Amino acid sequence: MAEASITLGYWGIQGLAEPIVKLLEYLGLKYQIKTYTSPEEWAADKATLNTPFPNLPYLKVGDKTLTESEAIAYFLVFHANRTDLFGANNDERVQATAVRGVVSDVTRDFVAFIMDASKHAEQDKYFEEKIHPRLARLNAFAAGKKHIIGDNLNLVDFALFHALYILGKMDSKVLDNYPNLQNIINNFNAIPQINAYHASDAFKNKPLLPPTAAYKFRD
């Protein structure tokens, strides 16, 4: 039986879809990307999606359509029979869920900052108050670990890397005082599938933000 085709639909930026793309690359799953360039184009397709929760990103696999980033990631792990990515035991699974919550908090904070142009001039203060306290706790948690949960790669590493990557683009020195997180990033980058993807034009040419965004990255 032929393998079901996989299509990931999203805007032409990294955004919420980027951890999913990295997961697809890591798992070695063949996929194509449907890139939306206007709200009108997305609105036309949105009404046709076979899902009770039409949204971007979405994933089409055969006649199945999935939305919500976490649900898509979970589906791909099951689809590839790689449930080891959830954790080697219950303790690791619980820890991964906790870390995912912290990553979501960090992401929510810097997205809120990026979207509020009135705060852009006070980035250093904002980071000191909102971002660095959480990074310090993540750094302490990561001590002595190859990946954020332990020796083995976990699904939460994909979301963590993306959040730290964006923060690094906002401030190239943001991780200078967090060597454990730098180590986590280096180990993630060293994964052959991830390294190859990061060297590709598909990654290099994909912007983090839409061209209309008021926020400009420092580097």
Side-chain angles (χ1 to χ4, degrees), residues 158-174:
F158 292 83
L160 175 63
F161 177 89
H162 186 55
L164 296 179
Y165 177 81
I166 294 175
L167 289 173
K169 290 295 185 180
M170 296 176 75
D171 180 355
S172 61
K173 297 182 179 180
V174 71

Side-chain angles (χ1 to χ4, degrees), residues 17-33:
E18 189 60 21
I20 299 171
V21 173
K22 287 179 170 57
L23 181 60
L24 284 162
E25 292 286 341
Y26 172 73
L27 295 173
L29 297 174
K30 293 182 179 180
Y31 67 97
Q32 59 185 353
I33 294 181

Side-chain angles (χ1 to χ4, degrees), residues 126-180:
Y126 191 86
F127 269 44
E128 194 63 33
E129 293 177 352
K130 295 288 187 178
I131 303 299
H132 283 294
R134 292 193 173 101
L135 292 183
R137 287 190 283 270
L138 282 169
N139 185 70
F141 180 80
K145 295 174 181 172
K146 180 178 180 180
H147 300 293
I148 193 59
I149 301 303
D151 289 339
N152 299 318
L153 187 69
N154 190 284
L155 182 61
V156 74
D157 282 291
F158 292 83
L160 175 63
F161 177 89
H162 186 55
L164 296 179
Y165 177 81
I166 294 175
L167 289 173
K169 290 295 185 180
M170 296 176 75
D171 180 355
S172 61
K173 297 182 179 180
V174 71
L175 295 181
D176 281 2
N177 294 324
Y178 308 121
N180 299 326

Side-chain angles (χ1 to χ4, degrees), residues 29-102:
L29 297 174
K30 293 182 179 180
Y31 67 97
Q32 59 185 353
I33 294 181
K34 166 62 178 177
T35 300
Y36 291 93
T37 58
S38 71
E40 293 77 18
E41 182 185 13
W42 161 233
D45 273 6
K46 183 177 181 179
T48 69
L49 291 182
N50 181 29
T51 173
F53 309 112
N55 205 349
L56 291 174
Y58 67 73
L59 189 81
K60 287 184 176 181
V61 183
D63 59 358
K64 184 190 297 290
T65 301
L66 298 161
T67 57
E68 300 304 322
S69 302
E70 287 293 292
I72 291 171
Y74 270 59
F75 171 83
L76 290 173
V77 169
F78 288 125
H79 182 74
N81 195 28
R82 286 295 309 275
T83 54
D84 57 288
L85 289 171
F86 293 139
N89 51 56
N90 288 340
D91 284 343
E92 287 193 0
R93 295 178 192 113
V94 171
Q95 287 181 348
T97 302
V99 172
R100 187 66 182 93
V102 176

